Amino acid sequence: MNCRSRRCPRIVCGIVAAVGEIDVQLCRNMLARIKHRGPDDTGEIRRGNVWLGHQRLSIMDVDGGSQPMTDTEEKTYLVANGEIYNHRHIREDLGHELFETGSDSEAALHALIVDGPVGLARLRGMFALAFMTADGEFLVARDSLGVKPLYWVRRDDVTLFASELRAFEPADRPLVESFPPGHCWTPNGGLVRFADAVPARVRPARRAEQPGVWDEALVKSVREAVVTAVENRMMSDVGIGVFLSGGLDSAIVAAVAAEYAKRHDQPLPTFAVGAPGSSDLAAARVVAEYLGTEHHEIVMTKEAAQAALPKAVRAIEHYDPSLVRSSVPNLLLAEYAAKRVHAVLTGEGADELFAGYSYYHEAPFTDPDALQAELVRTVEELHHLNLQRCDRTTMAFGMEARVPFLDRDVIELALSIPPEHKMLAPGRVEKQLLRDAFEGWVPDEILNRGKEQFGDGSGAKDVLEAAVRTSPDLPEGISLRSDEEAGFYSIWHSSFEGIRPETTLGHFATT
């Protein structure tokens, strides 16, 4: 199962791992339940009391790109989901002679071989991985933001890991927990943090001498950080597109991606979804025409949205109303786009970094320190909400979503900006600094377009509220915020009975 080819691709996949008293059939059953994350190939290996499994989507190098990946002497093994964006730098640091493939996952393998768990600090990207040696050493890790999902069950006889909740047997579901981002775990060392979602050195941000007045140097630094993050996520041997909602954030991503595509003489497909006549479809069309992209529109009918509702709840493994509303059109869009590209860029994270949501501008967040604390908190909680939707709706069809605004350098820069610069004032709207940074890159009408939730702009909100007007009976001890949420919870509970609400909702669970 070596990954020997020089053209081994980045891997879109799902992983399962186990350490302890191994039940191979149980592990295989778990892996089979997440086959949608990588329907083209299944790989597994057992060494002693450790088992690793991998579901792969073959993008290139079908014969040589399988995982588990191993070193030349077959003493170490790795399964990984996601991307290591700085893999070329790691190759240079460790020495190209160590590497046999072009895979970014191999950079993680050798970083761990050379440095042990400390090697995780080298990795910049989105990942969930499991690593073992032939003599039984074992490590699991998840990226600092939790862009890539990972769950675990700790039993007395075995510890189990998987990319999605659905992988676990019903008997294990009450024990399932979300594996914490930025942590690694070993049987001997336990759970150890290796990276923070928001590095401590950017908190609290410095205070602005002149709130709302920024110089061209700051505007340029924001623009350059975002451009670099988008371009790093464009490097691939496969087709890449952009989910274009018609809002500011996805328009910026599309604009940078379009410039990159033109320089490299490659097409840029963009994809938009909405109800007939929805504002999102109209705005996305304006952006696509301005940038000259290969644009695709999915017109979401009421019937299609309601039919997709239970599929969306099961796909995202979640029942938060705002998340479900946006997941339904996202799922329909992903199903269409996955037939044309293997990866898409999205605008996730910009609102949390630059204070795009309306509630950020209401009490108590009109105080700069309170606003800064809330921005940090919401970035740290993204793995429970938007990132969960982002991963699941795309991976339901074996397609990867990439989130350039959540690049580590962008996060560090954005959260080091004085919070006063993100607050509303006469003549300024939300995310004014970001708008200034990309003036001329997107149409003026989009640059000045106000924030609209994706579920609202796409037209999904009204359709889905009408679909769940009657509140179902809820399990004892569960109290929810609305009939709509109760309806979504009922769908979720029917598929994930036994899973505790806090496992998927984290801080937002209501019991």
Side-chain angles (χ1 to χ4, degrees), residues 202-217:
V202 308
R203 294 183 281 170
R206 65 189 185 280
R207 303 308 292 263
E209 294 181 6
Q210 293 181 285
V213 178
W214 43 74
D215 57 23
E216 179 56 32

Side-chain angles (χ1 to χ4, degrees), residues 294-447:
E294 294 182 1
H295 193 53
H296 303 259
E297 292 185 355
I298 305 300
V299 177
M300 178 180 63
T301 65
K302 176 181 178 180
E303 293 74 22
Q306 293 184 352
L309 172 59
K311 299 176 186 177
V313 171
R314 294 180 188 117
I316 66 173
E317 305 183 325
H318 219 302
Y319 58 86
D320 175 79
S322 63
L323 213 59
V324 173
R325 289 179 206 138
S326 58
S327 295
V328 167
N330 249 151
L331 193 75
L332 296 172
L333 191 60
E335 183 177 19
Y336 177 90
K339 299 171 184 175
R340 292 156 179 83
V341 296
H342 293 295
V344 289
L345 308 186
T346 80
E348 303 290 348
D351 286 316
E352 290 78 6
L353 294 174
F354 293 95
Y357 296 124
S358 59
Y359 89 92
Y360 286 138
H361 307 290
E362 301 169 356
F365 307 120
T366 49
D367 173 75
D369 291 335
L371 175 60
Q372 177 71 8
E374 180 64 5
L375 295 177
V376 169
R377 186 194 71 80
T378 50
V379 168
E380 292 175 338
E381 289 283 350
L382 273 171
H383 68 285
H384 281 306
L385 292 168
N386 291 2
L387 289 177
Q388 189 161 324
R389 177 206 63 216
C390 185
D391 174 84
R392 302 299 204 286
T393 55
T394 53
M395 292 301 290
F397 302 100
M399 182 174 64
E400 183 175 76
R402 302 175 181 176
V403 285
F405 276 109
L406 294 175
D407 178 89
R408 194 161 184 81
D409 289 341
V410 177
I411 291 173
E412 291 186 16
L413 172 63
L415 292 181
S416 69
I417 293 170
E420 295 93 334
H421 284 339
K422 302 173 185 178
M423 299 171 72
L424 299 183
R428 290 211 320 266
V429 297
E430 79 282 350
K431 297 187 289 190
Q432 185 68 59
L433 176 56
L434 189 60
R435 296 172 194 271
D436 287 357
F438 287 92
E439 186 176 1
W441 288 66
V442 300
D444 287 345
E445 63 188 277
I446 303 301
L447 198 69

